Amino acid sequence: MDAERLIAAGRQALAASGTAQDIVAEAWQAQALAQAIGSHLALCGPMELRGEARGLSETGEYPAWGAAGPRAAQLTEVIDPQPALAALGELLEEVGMALVGVACATDEEGLYWQCIEAIDAADEAGDRVRGMLRRLDVREWARARPPDRAWGRAGPARPGVPEGAG
């Protein structure tokens, strides 16, 4: 299944979570998906993303999975990295907000610390995702700008030198 469909399924599952434990479980599902997308992009993604993607694939340590395993195991492709990463970033933000709500509302110390650990993992993954999106933005900006005739390459003219002057 492609990344964007899995992310949409994760967002729906998070929205449908009825208990604090369900929210924590969906947070770890999102983390596993972030790692899987990171692994995929580290192997098959654009060259400028591979280092950051490798870091994303190593964020967080989630608990052991039950018989069903993580939803992320269904990942087969990332069709377009930019929209997939944007959607993943949104999912990670939603997860973080839901976890803060659980952490603030619970009186159980164990659940509180589970939330804090999951918040840290979602935050670290979100940082990696934002870094990759910035790299993609820079790549698109570099492709979109016209060549500089004065230097024979892409980019703005030298400061203080009229265009066409060499």
Side-chain angles (χ1 to χ4, degrees):
M1 184 179 300
D2 78 275
E4 289 183 72
R5 288 180 58 199
L6 283 170
I7 293 165
R11 291 179 82 181
Q12 290 172 347
L14 179 63
S17 295
T19 67
Q21 291 297 339
D22 291 343
I23 291 170
V24 172
E26 284 307 318
W28 290 117
Q29 287 281 356
Q31 183 62 36
L33 183 54
Q35 289 176 325
I37 290 171
S39 293
H40 183 83
L41 291 175
L43 293 173
C44 307
M47 290 302 292
E48 61 267 27
L49 295 185
R50 291 189 179 182
E52 197 76 38
R54 197 168 297 107
L56 178 61
S57 72
E58 298 169 354
T59 59
E61 290 294 325
Y62 46 83
W65 297 102
R71 191 178 299 116
Q74 299 173 38
L75 179 70
T76 57
E77 63 185 334
V78 179
I79 294 171
D80 187 351
Q82 198 284 332
L85 289 169
L88 179 60
E90 291 173 9
L91 173 61
L92 292 168
E93 286 178 21
E94 291 172 8
V95 161
M97 288 187 285
L99 288 166
V100 167
V102 171
C104 289
T106 189
D107 291 333
E108 291 180 49
E109 187 175 347
L111 179 58
Y112 173 82
W113 287 111
Q114 286 178 22
C115 289
I116 297 303
E117 184 178 347
I119 290 168
D120 286 346
D123 188 48
E124 182 182 352
D127 288 346
R128 299 281 184 171
V129 167
R130 285 185 293 279
M132 287 190 285
L133 286 169
R134 279 191 299 276
R135 287 182 186 275
L136 288 173
D137 287 344
V138 167
R139 179 180 75 166
E140 290 305 311
W141 179 80
R143 286 182 180 172
R145 67 183 177 176
D148 178 6
R149 290 178 292 201
W151 288 90
R153 61 179 171 80
R158 292 183 297 176
V161 177
E163 191 164 330

